[in-house]
Amino acid sequence: MTDQDSTPADPAGDIAVPADVVGKHDAEVERLFGTGGPLGPAVGGFRPRKSQTEMAKAIAHAIAGQETLIAEAGTGTGKTFAYLVPALLWGGKTIVSTGTKNLQDQLFSRDIPTVRKALQAPVSVALLKGRANYLCHYHLERTLANGRMTSREDVGYLREISRFLKMTQTGDKAELARVPENAPVWNLVTSTRENCVGQECQYYEDCFVMKARREAQQADVVVVNHHLFFADVALKDTGVAELLPSANTIIFDEAHQLPDTATLFFGESVSTSQVLELCRDVLAEGLSHARDGANWGAVVSVVEKAARDLRLTFPQDIVRLSLPQIAPSSEFFPALAKLKEELDGMLEVLEGQAQRAETLEQCRTRGLELAQAFKDWQYDPKAKVAPGQEAVYWVEAFASSLQLHKTPLSIAQIFNNQREGVPRSWIFTSATLAVKNDFKHFAHQLGLYDEPAKSWPSPFNYAEQGILYVPQGLPDPNSMGYTDAVLDAALPVIEAAGGRTFLLCTTLRAVKRAAERLRDEFDKRGLKFPLFVQGDRGRTELLDQFRKAGNGVLIGSQSFWEGVDVRGEALSLVIIDKLPFAPPDDPVLAARIEVMEKKGMNGFVHHTLPEAIINLKQGAGRLIRDEGDRGVLMLCDPRVISKPYGRRIWQSLPPFKRTREQAEVIEFFHSGAGKPS
């Protein structure tokens, strides 16, 4: 790995590009990002930032030389423009992949149009999402005809969706704000890879999924998200596979999420909910096209019962167990055998009726794929596995479904295979890729060995703008009553900050306890701080209300640690209850560590700790979002002081002034330093 342990003065210096392209675009980048350049008038409050300009140069070099670049940019660098400017001018056919659909929409609707207009770049741009985001004419028509709505609310939503169909150009459900994105009715009016009728569909020419893919084929820049990108690499079902051969540049923003997302898609999984969806469709199609062919209700009900019985073999709400952890005497094994048997029985019936309708044939094909997936989920502990090909077999139970997973322990080789072939540039960027300026952990997970890695510092003056506060006297984080001890330490600071707080927890149980306790304490103390709790409403709605309140306290877990931007006065205190170590009972983590330790590595030092640090950097990054922001990062976990690895943790965080004195923090707020200037 080149230049991993320092922040370089000249980021172009060690990127292996041909001599004729080194510095090729430097002067132009300087002009565009400099005083008097075109970005100033186009972007309110834009001013030249050295980190942003140097990062843009490095990306321009990587694009010119068809090279890979790992680029970490501190909060406030302006990394989005730093990659968009070179991509729009010199990137050729470019795929930009982001961490979430929200970021995807922001890039497509706001950032790219702004840069394109400023540069007067004649590039066409397309947005491509997974098929579940697009309204399906065929399934909407079928749902309207069947009229099987379970609630009055769904009937109202269906009416809205029918109206939307007549007005929309894209069919993207994000445009229909009146129907929540997670409303169950969407499952009935969108398609899946399994139930799409394809070219046989009477609406094929008008299909929104096909339309989005055609536009993506023709566009210069295509905005996707990581889930879509890797689902395609694994399933070839999202339209990205058709884009990849012609792409010259691929940019992953929020790249720190890639190892987890890629692992999810390069693995295999099958769930009882897929079985229940198939049963629903078999019943509908059987009654529509072959009513006399079978007693469809009876055919389907035994399979549904077997699927539900399999879920019930684990009485707890949420379970994650590796296959060797399930007792051989568990009812899980006979229940799984029973489900396979009943599924085969339904397939026999479909075999005899499938020729009567295309949709019945489709159900049969889906059933065969599901049956095969259940058969493939078989672990042989004696089987010899090639190094790098190891996988863990595990089960995950949710409230009403059970998933069986086979997850690769390393995706480095698989991802490397995807990158071979056509020469192109690959840019990986995020605010959190390194641990104390060392990129090895991130790079090795993706097989990016010996690729150039660079870090550009944030323009913020952290020592002036904020304090890192580690309170004294807190008990061990695993002790009983730890959350209450955190809240005891936090309450005086929340009060001094005038609310304006994010309380980030590592577990949902801590979120629930903190919400109960703070509601009670605010009431007792007469504190008029509005409380916003994850799960009460959608994330976007909670954040909007938190910003508007101006003195709110928001309690959240993992989904609020990243991708959340609250600038100015509304947020001045971020409290983190514990270091975000992955749960030790996570079956994939446990298996990874076992393999590492067989190779003589230390699983904690080489995997668990770097993961926690990158996660912590994301949480800490919520505090200072602007040059005018001021605030306190309150890190409650005493291990950051008491453990030998603590130094590595706080040295990876922004260089805040540090204190352990509550009085100093309260004075910071009372003196007005906690408010933006």
Side-chain angles (χ1 to χ4, degrees):
M1 186 75 53
T2 348
D3 201 8
Q4 295 196 125
D5 295 311
S6 64
T7 302
D10 172 20
D14 60 359
I15 297 175
V17 294
D20 60 332
V21 299
V22 171
K24 181 178 176 183
H25 300 300
D26 281 9
E28 182 64 356
V29 169
E30 290 275 4
R31 183 186 76 78
L32 293 168
F33 284 91
T35 307
L39 291 171
V43 184
F46 179 86
R47 58 184 164 279
R49 277 168 277 191
K50 187 172 189 293
S51 288
Q52 186 180 43
T53 308
E54 295 301 323
M55 181 180 175
K57 283 184 196 172
I59 288 170
H61 294 316
I63 286 172
Q66 296 184 317
E67 292 289 320
T68 294
L69 175 66
I70 302 169
E72 181 183 72
T75 308
T77 304
K79 66 180 165 63
T80 308
F81 283 16
Y83 68 70
L84 282 179
V85 169
L88 266 56
L89 291 176
W90 308 298
K93 176 90 174 183
T94 298
I95 298 173
V96 181
S97 181
T98 70
T100 63
K101 284 184 287 189
N102 285 348
L103 283 171
Q104 211 184 337
D105 287 332
Q106 180 184 310
L107 261 176
F108 179 74
S109 309
R110 193 179 79 191
D111 298 337
I112 293 177
T114 301
V115 174
R116 182 171 59 177
K117 188 178 171 192
L119 302 177
Q120 296 182 322
V123 294
S124 54
V125 187
L127 182 67
L128 186 60
K129 296 183 180 179
R131 63 165 69 246
N133 293 279
Y134 299 101
L135 188 54
C136 169
H137 293 77
Y138 170 77
H139 286 286
L140 174 62
E141 182 180 78
R142 198 180 78 161
T143 300
L144 287 167
N146 289 347
R148 289 180 298 143
M149 292 293 99
T150 51
S151 71
R152 184 178 296 169
E153 192 176 45
D154 281 347
V155 173
Y157 287 157
L158 194 60
R159 202 176 299 123
E160 292 281 1
I161 292 168
S162 300
R163 217 173 282 144
F164 173 62
L165 177 69
K166 298 183 179 77
M167 303 177 326
T168 179
Q169 294 293 304
T170 65
D172 183 349
K173 69 182 190 182
E175 291 175 10
L176 184 56
R178 283 197 293 273
V179 179
E181 195 183 349
N182 55 0
V185 70
W186 283 119
N187 295 332
L188 302 174
V189 297
T190 52
S191 70
T192 63
R193 183 172 68 104
E194 293 84 8
N195 69 17
C196 169
V197 187
Q199 294 187 16
E200 305 295 321
C201 181
Q202 58 185 326
Y203 298 110
Y204 187 73
E205 289 306 312
D206 300 319
C207 173
F208 292 123
V209 173
M210 290 300 127
K211 190 178 169 193
R213 290 182 185 180
R214 282 194 298 271
E215 285 173 5
Q217 282 287 306
Q218 290 153 13
D220 301 308
V221 178
V222 185
V223 184
V224 301
N225 62 59
H226 303 338
H227 277 253
L228 185 73
F229 188 94
F230 286 107
D232 195 275
V233 170
L235 305 172
K236 300 286 179 282
D237 177 54
T238 69
V240 174
E242 297 135 33
L243 297 174
L244 271 175
S246 60
N248 309 100
T249 303
I250 296 173
I251 299 171
F252 291 106
D253 197 349
E254 301 295 328
H256 63 278
Q257 297 176 4
L258 290 182
D260 283 349
T261 309
T263 299
L264 184 71
F265 284 104
F266 290 143
E268 292 159 25
S269 65
V270 61
S271 75
T272 56
S273 57
Q274 286 172 282
V275 175
L276 295 174
E277 279 168 23
L278 174 65
C279 288
R280 183 191 73 199
D281 292 345
V282 167
L283 182 62
E285 300 305 333
L287 292 174
S288 295
H289 303 289
R291 187 174 282 271
D292 57 344
N295 179 350
W296 294 103
V299 168
V300 160
S301 64
V302 289
V303 184
E304 287 178 331
K305 182 178 186 309
R308 292 197 173 99
D309 286 347
L310 180 63
R311 166 61 193 92
L312 293 172
T313 58
F314 297 101
Q316 309 94 312
D317 252 10
I318 302 210
V319 177
R320 289 161 70 92
L321 290 172
S322 65
L323 192 51
Q325 288 176 307
I326 302 172
S329 58
S330 167
E331 291 175 10
F332 167 77
F333 296 104
L336 179 58
K338 179 72 170 165
L339 176 56
K340 290 178 185 175
E341 183 189 316
E342 298 297 4
L343 193 52
D344 285 345
M346 184 166 80
L347 283 168
E348 277 176 36
V349 176
L350 282 169
E351 188 72 47
Q353 303 296 323
Q355 74 283 2
R356 296 178 68 172
E358 180 65 37
T359 48
L360 276 170
E361 171 55 34
Q362 215 177 20
C363 286
R364 187 185 77 89
T365 307
R366 278 167 66 193
L368 288 169
E369 283 179 13
L370 273 179
Q372 192 57 50
F374 279 111
K375 288 188 181 84
D376 289 345
W377 196 76
Q378 280 188 338
Y379 168 66
D380 180 359
K382 296 186 204 71
K384 282 271 178 246
V385 181
Q389 306 292 308
E390 299 96 344
V392 57
Y393 290 76
W394 57 290
V395 301
E396 187 169 26
F398 299 97
S400 56
S401 70
L402 187 75
Q403 291 188 342
L404 311 182
H405 301 278
K406 178 191 174 187
T407 303
L409 293 190
S410 168
I411 50 131
Q413 190 58 52
I414 311 172
F415 187 56
N416 252 336
N417 294 346
Q418 300 301 329
R419 293 175 63 237
E420 284 169 1
V422 184
R424 56 170 68 100
S425 49
W426 296 78
I427 312 294
F428 300 84
T429 184
S430 166
T432 55
L433 295 175
V435 175
K436 214 181 131 198
N437 265 346
D438 184 341
F439 290 83
K440 282 195 194 77
H441 177 67
F442 170 77
H444 288 194
Q445 283 180 292
L446 293 177
L448 304 174
Y449 310 109
D450 302 319
E451 298 290 9
K454 295 287 181 182
S455 189
W456 289 273
S458 166
F460 301 154
N461 185 344
Y462 285 108
E464 289 289 318
Q465 290 179 249
I467 292 179
L468 169 61
Y469 167 47
V470 180
Q472 300 182 52
L474 282 174
D476 181 274
N478 298 316
S479 61
M480 287 287 287
Y482 177 75
T483 300
D484 281 297
V486 165
L487 295 168
D488 289 339
L491 271 158
V493 186
I494 294 171
E495 193 168 347
R500 305 187 297 145
T501 299
F502 267 15
L503 171 53
L504 300 178
C505 302
T506 51
T507 64
L508 289 170
R509 190 186 299 122
V511 169
K512 188 166 178 272
R513 175 62 194 144
E516 285 168 5
R517 173 89 190 274
L518 288 185
R519 206 167 268 128
D520 188 41
E521 292 284 355
F522 289 176
D523 203 32
K524 270 199 292 206
R525 299 172 186 222
L527 299 172
K528 304 290 185 202
F529 304 145
L531 204 56
F532 303 98
V533 183
Q534 178 179 331
D536 285 359
R537 285 180 287 282
R539 187 172 97 146
T540 308
E541 194 185 341
L542 277 177
L543 283 168
D544 286 345
Q545 291 181 341
F546 176 83
R547 284 189 193 98
K548 277 189 198 128
N551 66 339
V553 174
L554 186 147
I555 309 172
S557 70
Q558 194 55 52
S559 61
F560 285 90
W561 283 63
E562 59 180 276
V564 172
D565 191 8
V566 179
R567 296 172 187 228
E569 293 213 15
L571 179 60
S572 292
L573 172 62
V574 170
I575 303 170
I576 292 176
D577 71 337
K578 282 185 194 180
L579 295 173
F581 290 119
D585 59 350
D586 181 294
V588 180
L589 175 66
R592 272 191 182 141
I593 285 174
E594 191 182 333
V595 168
M596 290 175 96
E597 294 190 338
K598 278 179 187 162
K599 293 177 184 168
M601 296 165 78
N602 181 313
F604 179 78
V605 170
H606 292 110
H607 188 84
T608 308
L609 183 60
E611 283 285 294
I613 290 174
I614 286 171
N615 212 341
L616 183 65
K617 281 172 74 174
Q618 279 291 333
R622 297 316 100 212
L623 181 63
I624 306 292
R625 305 297 300 171
D626 206 292
E627 283 165 10
D629 282 359
R630 300 281 185 276
V632 171
L633 172 64
M634 182 172 169
L635 180 51
C636 295
D637 196 318
R639 290 174 294 188
V640 80
I641 303 293
S642 64
K643 297 289 184 187
Y645 57 76
R647 172 178 288 265
R648 195 166 170 213
I649 291 171
W650 58 253
Q651 285 182 339
S652 296
L653 292 173
F656 293 116
K657 181 184 175 188
R658 297 192 297 274
T659 186
R660 302 208 65 197
E661 300 299 330
Q662 187 188 87
E664 200 175 327
V665 173
I666 288 173
E667 172 57 27
F668 176 83
F669 285 119
H670 286 168
S671 66
K675 292 188 171 67
S677 53

